[in-house]
Amino acid sequence: MYDYLIVGAGLYGAVFAHEAKKRGKRCLVLEKRSHIAGNIYCENVEGIQVHRYGAHIFHTSNKRIWDYVNKFAEFNNYINSPVAVYKDELYNLPFNMNTFSRMWGVRTPAEAKEKIAAQIASLNITEPRNLEEQALSLVGRDVYEKLIKGYTEKQWGRPCTELPAFIIRRLPLRFVYDNNYFNDRYQGIPIGGYTRIVENMLEGIEVRLDTDYFAHREEWNAQAEKIVFTGMVDEYFDFCYGSLQYRTVRFEEEVLDCENYQGNAVVNYTEREVPYTRIIEHKHFEFGKQPKTVISREYSTEWQLGMEPYYPVNDAKNTELFSKYKKLAEQEKKVVFGGRLGDYKYYDMDKVIEAALNTAEAEL
Ligand code: FAD
Ligand code: UDP
């Protein structure tokens, strides 16, 4: 008998398992993939840490979480500063004075604000009701049309008018010349990759890989007092109310015989006609000097059964459907649901760690 059966060896499951073991609990972790670490899994290719399920930059303003994660890895001083390519134009992200200066030839914050105000004056947006209105009211029509509309519609497969405003508020908007993609106090990439963090968290804990909980759920349930479930909440309930929607990403990876392909870790392609959303050049996350390079093009599509569910689509329809599953989840007294899929939330890593620590404290 185990105290906790933990379904999923991603960040949430690993933090919970670590905390439970520390408090003397017996844990068993099940993972259906053939490796631990969930979506933060990294693989060494040509001496370069490749983020197998998409680029991950750790950032947080929560000192407690920063100190916690630093117990499991040392972080470098990488600062994310993506660039956006629109046709033959190149812009700095996030939206800041470098972007506005390149877009309009303006030099001062007052000039940039004036431009934006003039572009949205006729729209009268008081309370943005969707991503389009939110973006227009923040950065004006030119930036919206060139840097947001095409990218967002490729990424989410839905018109910007049908997406929630909060998605675009993830990005900083500032009227200073500062290309740091995040506003957070702490930022970096773990030296040696993310997998090691999860490896260290799971040290001394029994993990079974290639094991899908649903293949023998009754048998697993019988072996533990409680379950921590970090898979898809709708799958847990056999999709009884229908399927929640997710976006998945196909990564087209190439090893190139050149030292430096694009000069930056992240280059976004914001026009609709380029089929991928961004190209990641992994070595730049670690200031790599290897003779070769590895790049990944990201193609975003709608999730279907059998694919990896990466992004919950937190629009009105899915939020309502999730609230029904949440009610069911609250009735499962033996099960705690957590993580990006269990909570159906667009969580960053720091928020996942925080949620897992809070659950562990409440539970244990
Ligand atoms: P997951 O990592 O998905 O782990 C869940 C695990 O459960 C998986 O390994 C899965 O295989 C397993 N599982 C599911 N069902 C079963 C089952 N039935 N039986 C057994 N095992 C099961 N966050 C940031 O902070 N910064 C970033 O730059 C960033 N970039 C991202 C880029 C992409 C493309 C994506 C998709 C996410 C990004 N994130 C980023 C978010 C980050 O990946 C998540 O916050 C975090 O990894 C979620 O951890 P988790 O444990 O909740 O989920
Ligand atoms: N976004 C955009 N243009 C860009 C980058 C981002 O319009 O060049 C929008 C897009 O809607 C995206 C959202 O901002 O989904 C959040 O971007 P973020 O980089 O946080 O997305 P993630 O890294 O989670 O894919």
Side-chain angles (χ1 to χ4, degrees):
M1 243 351 232
Y2 296 93
D3 295 306
Y4 285 95
L5 173 74
I6 295 152
V7 181
L11 197 52
Y12 189 100
V15 169
F16 186 90
H18 183 83
E19 292 303 309
K21 176 171 184 273
K22 219 163 69 183
R23 292 164 173 84
K25 304 292 182 191
R26 283 199 68 206
C27 298
L28 171 64
V29 180
L30 302 185
E31 172 53 59
K32 68 178 177 186
R33 295 178 186 172
S34 58
H35 58 77
I36 59 165
N39 288 345
I40 62 174
Y41 175 67
C42 295
E43 237 171 44
N44 186 318
V45 181
E46 302 286 345
I48 298 162
Q49 287 294 324
V50 171
H51 299 188
R52 185 54 70 215
Y53 301 93
H56 280 74
I57 301 107
F58 196 92
H59 57 98
T60 188
S61 290
N62 186 332
K63 186 160 189 319
R64 171 184 171 227
I65 302 304
W66 182 243
D67 289 343
Y68 186 80
V69 77
N70 272 271
K71 288 197 286 192
F72 302 98
E74 190 186 339
F75 280 73
N76 71 15
N77 59 337
Y78 176 80
I79 298 285
N80 200 32
S81 314
V83 293
V85 174
Y86 175 80
K87 300 191 195 285
D88 58 353
E89 299 165 18
L90 195 140
Y91 294 93
N92 288 113
L93 292 174
F95 312 118
N96 74 93
M97 282 308 296
N98 289 306
T99 328
F100 306 136
S101 168
R102 175 82 180 77
M103 185 74 68
W104 300 311
V106 296
R107 233 188 272 168
T108 65
E111 286 170 335
K113 286 180 186 172
E114 208 177 296
K115 265 285 190 205
I116 293 171
Q119 296 199 347
I120 57 171
S122 62
L123 299 175
N124 276 325
I125 301 169
T126 43
E127 187 87 357
R129 287 166 303 173
N130 54 53
L131 196 153
E132 178 171 288
E133 290 189 0
Q134 178 71 80
L136 283 168
S137 67
L138 290 173
V139 291
R141 172 124 353 238
D142 291 342
V143 177
Y144 172 66
E145 296 284 349
K146 288 187 173 181
L147 302 183
I148 298 176
K149 192 171 191 294
Y151 186 97
T152 298
E153 294 188 356
K154 284 193 282 188
Q155 167 71 14
W156 295 100
R158 291 156 174 76
C160 291
T161 47
E162 287 175 21
L163 288 165
F166 85 86
I167 292 181
I168 201 67
R169 290 199 304 266
R170 284 169 60 86
L171 308 193
L173 160 67
R174 38 177 110 89
F175 292 90
V176 289
Y177 289 90
D178 176 359
N179 296 327
N180 184 347
Y181 201 59
F182 303 112
N183 278 330
D184 284 321
R185 172 78 179 78
Y186 309 103
Q187 183 174 169
I189 300 282
I191 295 167
Y194 285 93
T195 312
R196 195 176 296 162
I197 293 184
V198 176
E199 232 164 55
N200 289 338
M201 286 173 174
L202 291 175
E203 202 186 309
I205 295 167
E206 194 178 337
V207 181
R208 303 224 186 138
L209 299 176
D210 299 304
T211 306
D212 189 333
Y213 164 73
F214 293 119
H216 301 282
R217 69 192 288 178
E218 297 312 327
E219 284 167 43
W220 295 119
N221 289 352
Q223 290 189 42
E225 293 290 336
K226 281 199 93 167
I227 297 167
V228 174
F229 183 80
T230 74
M232 289 160 54
V233 60
D234 48 347
E235 188 177 15
Y236 181 92
F237 293 108
D238 297 320
F239 304 103
C240 64
Y241 296 131
S243 184
L244 288 163
Q245 291 178 301
Y246 302 85
R247 294 294 285 174
T248 192
V249 184
R250 179 169 66 81
F251 301 98
E252 196 180 85
E253 187 180 305
E254 260 188 273
V255 179
L256 302 176
D257 209 359
C258 81
E259 203 201 310
N260 185 1
Y261 172 71
Q262 62 182 14
N264 206 26
V266 184
V267 178
N268 291 359
Y269 288 81
T270 57
E271 64 189 272
R272 195 70 192 83
E273 289 67 33
V274 176
Y276 40 86
T277 50
R278 55 190 176 193
I279 301 183
I280 304 300
E281 187 169 11
H282 298 269
K283 70 192 307 178
H284 297 307
F285 288 123
E286 297 190 293
F287 318 109
K289 297 281 179 285
Q290 299 84 352
K292 294 192 181 182
T293 196
V294 185
I295 60 163
S296 306
R297 291 185 184 81
E298 296 191 4
Y299 297 83
S300 181
T301 53
E302 200 67 14
W303 174 87
Q304 286 171 6
L305 210 58
M307 295 173 162
E308 293 292 351
Y310 288 120
Y311 292 88
V313 181
N314 293 124
D315 61 7
K317 189 177 96 187
N318 285 290
T319 302
E320 197 192 321
L321 182 54
F322 173 66
S323 70
K324 289 170 131 187
Y325 282 115
K326 195 165 161 50
K327 282 208 186 92
L328 287 184
E330 282 160 5
Q331 287 158 25
E332 293 281 285
K333 294 298 172 217
K334 201 183 152 173
V335 187
V336 178
F337 293 82
R340 225 186 202 204
L341 303 173
D343 281 345
Y344 196 66
K345 265 215 182 106
Y346 194 179
Y347 274 139
D348 281 327
M349 290 180 278
D350 61 328
K351 295 291 184 292
V352 165
I353 295 175
E354 192 181 346
L357 285 176
N358 289 344
T359 303
E361 259 160 39
E363 241 336 277
L364 303 160

